[in-house]
mmCIF file of all heavy atoms in Angstrom:
data_model
loop_
_atom_site.group_PDB
_atom_site.id
_atom_site.type_symbol
_atom_site.label_atom_id
_atom_site.label_comp_id
_atom_site.label_asym_id
_atom_site.label_seq_id
_atom_site.Cartn_x
_atom_site.Cartn_y
_atom_site.Cartn_z
ATOM 1 N N LEU A 182 42.885 48.113 139.931
ATOM 2 C CA LEU A 182 42.419 47.347 138.783
ATOM 3 C C LEU A 182 41.187 47.982 138.150
ATOM 4 O O LEU A 182 40.985 47.919 136.935
ATOM 5 C CB LEU A 182 42.090 45.907 139.202
ATOM 6 C CG LEU A 182 43.251 45.007 139.589
ATOM 7 C CD1 LEU A 182 42.727 43.624 139.972
ATOM 8 C CD2 LEU A 182 44.283 44.904 138.471
ATOM 9 N N ALA A 183 40.350 48.607 138.992
ATOM 10 C CA ALA A 183 39.103 49.180 138.494
ATOM 11 C C ALA A 183 39.292 50.495 137.759
ATOM 12 O O ALA A 183 38.436 50.896 136.965
ATOM 13 C CB ALA A 183 38.136 49.388 139.656
ATOM 14 N N ALA A 184 40.394 51.195 138.018
ATOM 15 C CA ALA A 184 40.619 52.495 137.383
ATOM 16 C C ALA A 184 40.711 52.329 135.863
ATOM 17 O O ALA A 184 41.339 51.393 135.369
ATOM 18 C CB ALA A 184 41.900 53.125 137.911
ATOM 19 N N PRO A 185 40.078 53.217 135.099
ATOM 20 C CA PRO A 185 40.074 53.088 133.639
ATOM 21 C C PRO A 185 41.470 53.248 133.044
ATOM 22 O O PRO A 185 42.150 54.236 133.287
ATOM 23 C CB PRO A 185 39.142 54.223 133.178
ATOM 24 C CG PRO A 185 39.154 55.208 134.304
ATOM 25 C CD PRO A 185 39.315 54.403 135.551
ATOM 26 N N SER A 186 41.893 52.243 132.276
ATOM 27 C CA SER A 186 43.238 52.274 131.699
ATOM 28 C C SER A 186 43.243 52.202 130.182
ATOM 29 O O SER A 186 43.920 52.974 129.520
ATOM 30 C CB SER A 186 44.089 51.131 132.265
ATOM 31 O OG SER A 186 44.380 51.352 133.626
ATOM 32 N N SER A 187 42.495 51.254 129.619
ATOM 33 C CA SER A 187 42.468 51.135 128.164
ATOM 34 C C SER A 187 41.446 50.079 127.770
ATOM 35 O O SER A 187 41.117 49.189 128.560
ATOM 36 C CB SER A 187 43.845 50.755 127.622
ATOM 37 O OG SER A 187 43.799 50.536 126.222
ATOM 38 N N ASP A 188 40.948 50.176 126.536
ATOM 39 C CA ASP A 188 40.065 49.142 126.011
ATOM 40 C C ASP A 188 40.870 48.028 125.339
ATOM 41 O O ASP A 188 40.324 46.965 125.037
ATOM 42 C CB ASP A 188 39.093 49.747 124.996
ATOM 43 C CG ASP A 188 38.117 50.719 125.656
ATOM 44 O OD1 ASP A 188 37.692 50.433 126.792
ATOM 45 O OD2 ASP A 188 37.788 51.747 125.029
ATOM 46 N N ASN A 189 42.143 48.289 125.099
ATOM 47 C CA ASN A 189 43.008 47.284 124.486
ATOM 48 C C ASN A 189 43.654 46.439 125.587
ATOM 49 O O ASN A 189 44.301 46.983 126.482
ATOM 50 C CB ASN A 189 44.088 47.981 123.647
ATOM 51 C CG ASN A 189 45.002 46.986 122.955
ATOM 52 O OD1 ASN A 189 45.822 46.336 123.586
ATOM 53 N ND2 ASN A 189 44.862 46.884 121.633
ATOM 54 N N PRO A 190 43.493 45.110 125.566
ATOM 55 C CA PRO A 190 44.010 44.255 126.641
ATOM 56 C C PRO A 190 45.510 44.423 126.910
ATOM 57 O O PRO A 190 45.943 44.450 128.063
ATOM 58 C CB PRO A 190 43.687 42.837 126.155
ATOM 59 C CG PRO A 190 42.510 43.012 125.249
ATOM 60 C CD PRO A 190 42.744 44.333 124.562
ATOM 61 N N LYS A 191 46.305 44.536 125.829
ATOM 62 C CA LYS A 191 47.749 44.677 126.031
ATOM 63 C C LYS A 191 48.091 46.015 126.668
ATOM 64 O O LYS A 191 48.910 46.085 127.597
ATOM 65 C CB LYS A 191 48.476 44.524 124.689
ATOM 66 C CG LYS A 191 48.445 43.112 124.124
ATOM 67 C CD LYS A 191 49.271 43.016 122.854
ATOM 68 C CE LYS A 191 49.266 41.594 122.313
ATOM 69 N NZ LYS A 191 50.074 41.481 121.052
ATOM 70 N N ASP A 192 47.478 47.086 126.178
ATOM 71 C CA ASP A 192 47.720 48.404 126.766
ATOM 72 C C ASP A 192 47.213 48.459 128.205
ATOM 73 O O ASP A 192 47.837 49.076 129.075
ATOM 74 C CB ASP A 192 47.025 49.484 125.930
ATOM 75 C CG ASP A 192 47.647 49.647 124.550
ATOM 76 O OD1 ASP A 192 48.811 49.230 124.381
ATOM 77 O OD2 ASP A 192 46.969 50.179 123.648
ATOM 78 N N TRP A 193 46.074 47.810 128.460
ATOM 79 C CA TRP A 193 45.509 47.751 129.808
ATOM 80 C C TRP A 193 46.498 47.089 130.763
ATOM 81 O O TRP A 193 46.781 47.610 131.845
ATOM 82 C CB TRP A 193 44.200 46.973 129.776
ATOM 83 C CG TRP A 193 43.480 46.905 131.098
ATOM 84 C CD1 TRP A 193 42.535 47.753 131.561
ATOM 85 C CD2 TRP A 193 43.650 45.898 132.106
ATOM 86 N NE1 TRP A 193 42.103 47.361 132.810
ATOM 87 C CE2 TRP A 193 42.767 46.226 133.164
ATOM 88 C CE3 TRP A 193 44.462 44.772 132.229
ATOM 89 C CZ2 TRP A 193 42.672 45.450 134.326
ATOM 90 C CZ3 TRP A 193 44.373 43.996 133.386
ATOM 91 C CH2 TRP A 193 43.490 44.338 134.408
ATOM 92 N N ALA A 194 47.016 45.940 130.353
ATOM 93 C CA ALA A 194 47.942 45.196 131.209
ATOM 94 C C ALA A 194 49.224 45.995 131.453
ATOM 95 O O ALA A 194 49.748 46.024 132.586
ATOM 96 C CB ALA A 194 48.272 43.843 130.580
ATOM 97 N N TYR A 195 49.732 46.645 130.416
ATOM 98 C CA TYR A 195 50.964 47.426 130.566
ATOM 99 C C TYR A 195 50.751 48.613 131.489
ATOM 100 O O TYR A 195 51.583 48.901 132.365
ATOM 101 C CB TYR A 195 51.436 47.890 129.188
ATOM 102 C CG TYR A 195 52.737 48.664 129.210
ATOM 103 C CD1 TYR A 195 53.911 48.082 129.670
ATOM 104 C CD2 TYR A 195 52.782 49.998 128.764
ATOM 105 C CE1 TYR A 195 55.102 48.787 129.688
ATOM 106 C CE2 TYR A 195 53.973 50.703 128.779
ATOM 107 C CZ TYR A 195 55.125 50.101 129.244
ATOM 108 O OH TYR A 195 56.301 50.808 129.280
ATOM 109 N N SER A 196 49.618 49.302 131.316
ATOM 110 C CA SER A 196 49.325 50.458 132.168
ATOM 111 C C SER A 196 49.133 50.039 133.623
ATOM 112 O O SER A 196 49.620 50.700 134.551
ATOM 113 C CB SER A 196 48.071 51.185 131.668
ATOM 114 O OG SER A 196 48.279 51.722 130.375
ATOM 115 N N LYS A 197 48.420 48.943 133.828
ATOM 116 C CA LYS A 197 48.212 48.454 135.190
ATOM 117 C C LYS A 197 49.533 48.069 135.842
ATOM 118 O O LYS A 197 49.765 48.338 137.027
ATOM 119 C CB LYS A 197 47.269 47.249 135.187
ATOM 120 C CG LYS A 197 45.853 47.561 134.778
ATOM 121 C CD LYS A 197 45.181 48.567 135.693
ATOM 122 C CE LYS A 197 43.763 48.848 135.253
ATOM 123 N NZ LYS A 197 43.132 49.942 136.016
ATOM 124 N N ALA A 198 50.409 47.437 135.089
ATOM 125 C CA ALA A 198 51.702 47.022 135.631
ATOM 126 C C ALA A 198 52.504 48.237 136.086
ATOM 127 O O ALA A 198 53.120 48.226 137.166
ATOM 128 C CB ALA A 198 52.483 46.222 134.591
ATOM 129 N N LYS A 199 52.481 49.296 135.285
ATOM 130 C CA LYS A 199 53.225 50.496 135.662
ATOM 131 C C LYS A 199 52.598 51.190 136.866
ATOM 132 O O LYS A 199 53.298 51.604 137.801
ATOM 133 C CB LYS A 199 53.302 51.465 134.480
ATOM 134 C CG LYS A 199 54.152 50.964 133.318
ATOM 135 C CD LYS A 199 54.723 52.115 132.519
ATOM 136 C CE LYS A 199 53.658 52.987 131.893
ATOM 137 N NZ LYS A 199 54.239 54.148 131.184
ATOM 138 N N GLY A 200 51.282 51.322 136.847
ATOM 139 C CA GLY A 200 50.612 51.987 137.954
ATOM 140 C C GLY A 200 50.753 51.231 139.257
ATOM 141 O O GLY A 200 51.025 51.813 140.311
ATOM 142 N N LEU A 201 50.582 49.916 139.190
ATOM 143 C CA LEU A 201 50.727 49.094 140.392
ATOM 144 C C LEU A 201 52.161 49.109 140.908
ATOM 145 O O LEU A 201 52.395 48.996 142.117
ATOM 146 C CB LEU A 201 50.277 47.664 140.093
ATOM 147 C CG LEU A 201 48.762 47.464 139.971
ATOM 148 C CD1 LEU A 201 48.446 46.079 139.412
ATOM 149 C CD2 LEU A 201 48.084 47.638 141.339
ATOM 150 N N SER A 202 53.124 49.257 140.006
ATOM 151 C CA SER A 202 54.530 49.342 140.435
ATOM 152 C C SER A 202 54.764 50.590 141.277
ATOM 153 O O SER A 202 55.497 50.554 142.270
ATOM 154 C CB SER A 202 55.451 49.356 139.220
ATOM 155 O OG SER A 202 55.374 48.137 138.505
ATOM 156 N N VAL A 203 54.140 51.703 140.876
ATOM 157 C CA VAL A 203 54.268 52.933 141.655
ATOM 158 C C VAL A 203 53.646 52.755 143.036
ATOM 159 O O VAL A 203 54.242 53.114 144.066
ATOM 160 C CB VAL A 203 53.605 54.117 140.926
ATOM 161 C CG1 VAL A 203 53.572 55.354 141.822
ATOM 162 C CG2 VAL A 203 54.352 54.435 139.636
ATOM 163 N N GLU A 204 52.458 52.174 143.085
ATOM 164 C CA GLU A 204 51.782 52.021 144.362
ATOM 165 C C GLU A 204 52.489 50.999 145.253
ATOM 166 O O GLU A 204 52.575 51.180 146.472
ATOM 167 C CB GLU A 204 50.318 51.647 144.133
ATOM 168 C CG GLU A 204 49.572 52.756 143.397
ATOM 169 C CD GLU A 204 48.068 52.657 143.511
ATOM 170 O OE1 GLU A 204 47.560 51.564 143.852
ATOM 171 O OE2 GLU A 204 47.387 53.678 143.276
ATOM 172 N N LEU A 205 53.005 49.933 144.663
ATOM 173 C CA LEU A 205 53.796 48.982 145.432
ATOM 174 C C LEU A 205 55.056 49.649 145.953
ATOM 175 O O LEU A 205 55.480 49.412 147.096
ATOM 176 C CB LEU A 205 54.154 47.771 144.568
ATOM 177 C CG LEU A 205 55.037 46.711 145.236
ATOM 178 C CD1 LEU A 205 54.344 46.126 146.463
ATOM 179 C CD2 LEU A 205 55.386 45.595 144.239
ATOM 180 N N GLY A 206 55.659 50.513 145.121
ATOM 181 C CA GLY A 206 56.840 51.241 145.557
ATOM 182 C C GLY A 206 56.544 52.131 146.752
ATOM 183 O O GLY A 206 57.361 52.253 147.672
ATOM 184 N N ALA A 207 55.369 52.756 146.759
ATOM 185 C CA ALA A 207 54.975 53.603 147.879
ATOM 186 C C ALA A 207 54.826 52.781 149.149
ATOM 187 O O ALA A 207 55.266 53.195 150.236
ATOM 188 C CB ALA A 207 53.672 54.325 147.562
ATOM 189 N N GLU A 208 54.224 51.602 149.036
ATOM 190 C CA GLU A 208 54.038 50.751 150.209
ATOM 191 C C GLU A 208 55.371 50.195 150.700
ATOM 192 O O GLU A 208 55.599 50.108 151.911
ATOM 193 C CB GLU A 208 53.067 49.624 149.876
ATOM 194 C CG GLU A 208 51.640 50.125 149.626
ATOM 195 C CD GLU A 208 50.656 49.009 149.369
ATOM 196 O OE1 GLU A 208 51.100 47.910 148.948
ATOM 197 O OE2 GLU A 208 49.443 49.210 149.581
ATOM 198 N N LEU A 209 56.248 49.830 149.772
ATOM 199 C CA LEU A 209 57.562 49.319 150.177
ATOM 200 C C LEU A 209 58.409 50.417 150.818
ATOM 201 O O LEU A 209 59.138 50.164 151.785
ATOM 202 C CB LEU A 209 58.288 48.726 148.963
ATOM 203 C CG LEU A 209 57.702 47.426 148.399
ATOM 204 C CD1 LEU A 209 58.463 47.014 147.138
ATOM 205 C CD2 LEU A 209 57.771 46.316 149.449
ATOM 206 N N ALA A 210 58.326 51.633 150.276
ATOM 207 C CA ALA A 210 59.055 52.753 150.865
ATOM 208 C C ALA A 210 58.563 53.037 152.279
ATOM 209 O O ALA A 210 59.352 53.294 153.198
ATOM 210 C CB ALA A 210 58.902 53.995 149.991
ATOM 211 N N THR A 211 57.243 52.965 152.460
ATOM 212 C CA THR A 211 56.672 53.168 153.785
ATOM 213 C C THR A 211 57.164 52.111 154.753
ATOM 214 O O THR A 211 57.574 52.423 155.882
ATOM 215 C CB THR A 211 55.131 53.124 153.710
ATOM 216 O OG1 THR A 211 54.675 54.187 152.866
ATOM 217 C CG2 THR A 211 54.513 53.280 155.091
ATOM 218 N N ALA A 212 57.153 50.849 154.320
ATOM 219 C CA ALA A 212 57.632 49.767 155.181
ATOM 220 C C ALA A 212 59.125 49.920 155.483
ATOM 221 O O ALA A 212 59.565 49.696 156.614
ATOM 222 C CB ALA A 212 57.363 48.420 154.516
ATOM 223 N N GLY A 213 59.898 50.317 154.480
ATOM 224 C CA GLY A 213 61.336 50.463 154.672
ATOM 225 C C GLY A 213 61.698 51.575 155.634
ATOM 226 O O GLY A 213 62.533 51.395 156.526
ATOM 227 N N VAL A 214 61.067 52.744 155.459
ATOM 228 C CA VAL A 214 61.353 53.869 156.343
ATOM 229 C C VAL A 214 60.869 53.566 157.765
ATOM 230 O O VAL A 214 61.542 53.895 158.757
ATOM 231 C CB VAL A 214 60.702 55.161 155.815
ATOM 232 C CG1 VAL A 214 60.860 56.298 156.819
ATOM 233 C CG2 VAL A 214 61.312 55.549 154.476
ATOM 234 N N THR A 215 59.714 52.915 157.873
ATOM 235 C CA THR A 215 59.209 52.536 159.191
ATOM 236 C C THR A 215 60.183 51.602 159.886
ATOM 237 O O THR A 215 60.501 51.776 161.076
ATOM 238 C CB THR A 215 57.832 51.851 159.068
ATOM 239 O OG1 THR A 215 56.905 52.749 158.457
ATOM 240 C CG2 THR A 215 57.302 51.453 160.434
ATOM 241 N N GLY A 216 60.669 50.594 159.163
ATOM 242 C CA GLY A 216 61.628 49.660 159.741
ATOM 243 C C GLY A 216 62.923 50.343 160.150
ATOM 244 O O GLY A 216 63.505 50.021 161.188
ATOM 245 N N LEU A 217 63.383 51.288 159.332
ATOM 246 C CA LEU A 217 64.613 52.020 159.656
ATOM 247 C C LEU A 217 64.440 52.827 160.939
ATOM 248 O O LEU A 217 65.316 52.836 161.809
ATOM 249 C CB LEU A 217 64.975 52.941 158.492
ATOM 250 C CG LEU A 217 66.232 53.796 158.659
ATOM 251 C CD1 LEU A 217 67.468 52.917 158.798
ATOM 252 C CD2 LEU A 217 66.406 54.756 157.477
ATOM 253 N N LEU A 218 63.299 53.494 161.066
ATOM 254 C CA LEU A 218 63.038 54.276 162.271
ATOM 255 C C LEU A 218 62.876 53.381 163.495
ATOM 256 O O LEU A 218 63.298 53.730 164.595
ATOM 257 C CB LEU A 218 61.783 55.127 162.075
ATOM 258 C CG LEU A 218 61.915 56.291 161.094
ATOM 259 C CD1 LEU A 218 60.565 56.961 160.867
ATOM 260 C CD2 LEU A 218 62.919 57.321 161.614
ATOM 261 N N ASN A 219 62.256 52.211 163.299
ATOM 262 C CA ASN A 219 62.136 51.264 164.409
ATOM 263 C C ASN A 219 63.499 50.892 164.971
ATOM 264 O O ASN A 219 63.705 50.883 166.188
ATOM 265 C CB ASN A 219 61.421 49.985 163.940
ATOM 266 C CG ASN A 219 59.931 50.147 163.796
ATOM 267 O OD1 ASN A 219 59.292 49.383 163.085
ATOM 268 N ND2 ASN A 219 59.353 51.134 164.451
ATOM 269 N N GLY A 220 64.424 50.590 164.059
ATOM 270 C CA GLY A 220 65.757 50.198 164.495
ATOM 271 C C GLY A 220 66.560 51.351 165.070
ATOM 272 O O GLY A 220 67.392 51.157 165.961
ATOM 273 N N THR A 221 66.304 52.561 164.568
ATOM 274 C CA THR A 221 67.058 53.726 165.031
ATOM 275 C C THR A 221 66.582 54.204 166.398
ATOM 276 O O THR A 221 67.390 54.488 167.279
ATOM 277 C CB THR A 221 66.925 54.881 164.014
ATOM 278 O OG1 THR A 221 67.407 54.448 162.747
ATOM 279 C CG2 THR A 221 67.727 56.094 164.479
ATOM 280 N N THR A 222 65.265 54.296 166.571
ATOM 281 C CA THR A 222 64.734 54.816 167.833
ATOM 282 C C THR A 222 64.827 53.797 168.960
ATOM 283 O O THR A 222 65.112 54.155 170.105
ATOM 284 C CB THR A 222 63.265 55.250 167.669
ATOM 285 O OG1 THR A 222 62.480 54.131 167.239
ATOM 286 C CG2 THR A 222 63.160 56.361 166.637
ATOM 287 N N GLY A 223 64.574 52.532 168.652
ATOM 288 C CA GLY A 223 64.679 51.491 169.664
ATOM 289 C C GLY A 223 63.720 51.669 170.831
ATOM 290 O O GLY A 223 64.018 51.230 171.950
ATOM 291 N N ARG A 224 62.594 52.289 170.601
ATOM 292 C CA ARG A 224 61.648 52.525 171.688
ATOM 293 C C ARG A 224 60.984 51.216 172.126
ATOM 294 O O ARG A 224 60.632 50.381 171.307
ATOM 295 C CB ARG A 224 60.568 53.503 171.237
ATOM 296 C CG ARG A 224 59.625 53.929 172.359
ATOM 297 C CD ARG A 224 58.535 54.846 171.861
ATOM 298 N NE ARG A 224 57.803 55.451 172.959
ATOM 299 C CZ ARG A 224 56.728 56.207 172.831
ATOM 300 N NH1 ARG A 224 56.250 56.469 171.617
ATOM 301 N NH2 ARG A 224 56.122 56.707 173.877
#
């Protein structure tokens, strides 16, 4: 949220939504791959 995006509220919100989507995607991918490995290895 703190990263500079725009002085225009609409552009700011749109940019934040896109950027946060990428970062959420990274966290979800990490959780998904971790879960897959958990089930595969069964350690």
Side-chain angles (χ1 to χ4, degrees):
L182 291 180
S186 291
S187 175
D188 293 322
N189 181 288
K191 290 184 179 180
D192 292 340
W193 183 92
Y195 182 61
S196 296
K197 293 300 180 187
K199 292 207 299 177
L201 286 169
S202 295
V203 172
E204 297 198 342
L205 178 61
E208 293 183 337
L209 291 176
T211 298
V214 173
T215 300
L217 180 63
L218 290 174
N219 283 159
T221 301
T222 59
R224 186 183 191 186

